[in-house]
Amino acid sequence: MKKTTILVVLLTSLFLASCDADLKSKNSKDLISSKSRVSENGTWETISENIGSCPVLTSYNGTPYVFVRNENAKASVKSFINDEWQLVGQDGFSNHEISCHQMKIDVDASGIIFAAYLKEVDPANGIRSAVVQKYENGSWTQVGNDISYVQGFFRFNLSASGVPFITYAEKNTSKGYMIKFANGTWSKIGYWSFSVGAATIYQAAVVGETPYVYFNDLESPGFCYGPPMFQKCIIPPRSVDKIKKFQNGYWQTAVTTLPDSYYNVTFAVDNNDLYSIDGICNGEDLTVRKLVGSQLDPVGGVQSIDAGKYAFTVKDGIPYVAYWDGNTLKVTKYENGMWREIIGSTPITFDSIRYIHGISVSGNSIFVAFNQIEDFNVKVLQYK
């Protein structure tokens, strides 16, 4: 897939992206076009060295939550309270192995935690089910039944009122569907698929109560023959990238013209606004955009950088980006018409970043989860 395949959702709808890029320090450029470096009297502090594998980060009321796969490949959620990481409910509450990098976490406005993941039903035949669980009243309980026959990647979102949504391609038809949990059951959004043909799901979001989906639609498979490596097409396949929304009872075009080179896209929802970030995988540009009407308008323009690994969120109208510039981990925000690097009185000094697993903003704190090339131990930074 050429687009972002990892989605992370949080209270402000966090999503992250990561590309494998050979970034050279001598070619690194600064995301901060104004070169502004902001201390704001805060400090960066490492609050974790190793909390589990495949972490997904969110936060609520100033408390970070990390959804991880434990040593038995089962689901666990941890929170950082009173200067220590504590289990949220049962360790391994999934009771079965879950798929790494197919894990999502979100917290609704009342503080209920939702964790979504893929369960391997028949790995040999690619049969998987999506499962959603919530933590309420001191225990984890499943939300509805398993969502069966999920093909490839899925997306999990919460609406403003806390309604869970799942977006996926159905294995038998490969067409794209979105479902929501209401009145005690999962039900499809609309009568028909949002895709004409096979769908590759890139991103999804729910703005207020209105769902959006970004996907590739294989409108026509064409007419081709021969083995894959030597295949010839009399009629070439036709596929189109689309962003749609469900409104007034049907799926309709949400963005009339997609930007050029709209790659590695992640969505973020802030209040009633939809934002996105896109970047070229070899680390040339990152662009934050905001949906205005039916167009994606750049926020602060294109910033030329070497950032093959990044995470993105928006809080109270301010976009935040954590990225590796080829030299070190940096965290920036766009405020008062300029990008500014958040330095603090104790600057970040981590280099050789392997992955940035997420960024979350809550209360007066910024949280960043990542690990370095020399080890797989996940670190969480807090700025406060």
Side-chain angles (χ1 to χ4, degrees), residues 301-351:
V302 174
Q303 307 297 320
S304 183
I305 59 170
D306 277 342
K309 305 172 177 73
Y310 58 92
F312 167 61
T313 189
V314 182
K315 179 68 173 177
D316 297 331
I318 300 175
Y320 294 79
V321 181
Y323 71 99
W324 180 51
D325 72 345
N327 289 314
T328 189
L329 174 67
K330 291 185 177 181
V331 179
T332 66
K333 66 179 180 178
Y334 187 79
E335 189 176 27
N336 299 324
M338 67 177 68
W339 285 101
R340 303 194 296 174
E341 182 182 353
I342 302 171
I343 299 297
S345 59
T346 54
I348 303 172
T349 57
F350 294 99
D351 57 9

Side-chain angles (χ1 to χ4, degrees), residues 65-82:
Y65 294 86
V66 180
F67 180 22
V68 297
R69 196 171 68 159
N70 70 11
E71 62 276 9
N72 297 316
K74 296 180 180 179
S76 293
V77 171
K78 298 178 181 180
S79 62
F80 190 74
I81 300 175
N82 298 326

Side-chain angles (χ1 to χ4, degrees), residues 27-66:
N27 295 325
S28 67
K29 302 175 184 178
D30 200 335
L31 175 64
I32 320 304
S33 57
S34 66
K35 306 294 184 183
S36 176
R37 298 163 71 84
V38 186
S39 67
E40 298 183 352
N41 299 318
T43 59
W44 286 103
E45 179 184 359
T46 302
I47 61 174
S48 174
E49 289 292 341
N50 186 17
I51 52 176
S53 63
C54 312
V56 186
L57 173 71
T58 188
S59 59
Y60 176 77
N61 281 351
T63 298
Y65 294 86
V66 180

Side-chain angles (χ1 to χ4, degrees), residues 98-111:
I98 63 175
S99 176
C100 194
H101 304 306
Q102 280 288 273
M103 299 157 54
K104 330 290 177 184
I105 187 171
D106 202 351
V107 185
D108 73 7
S110 65

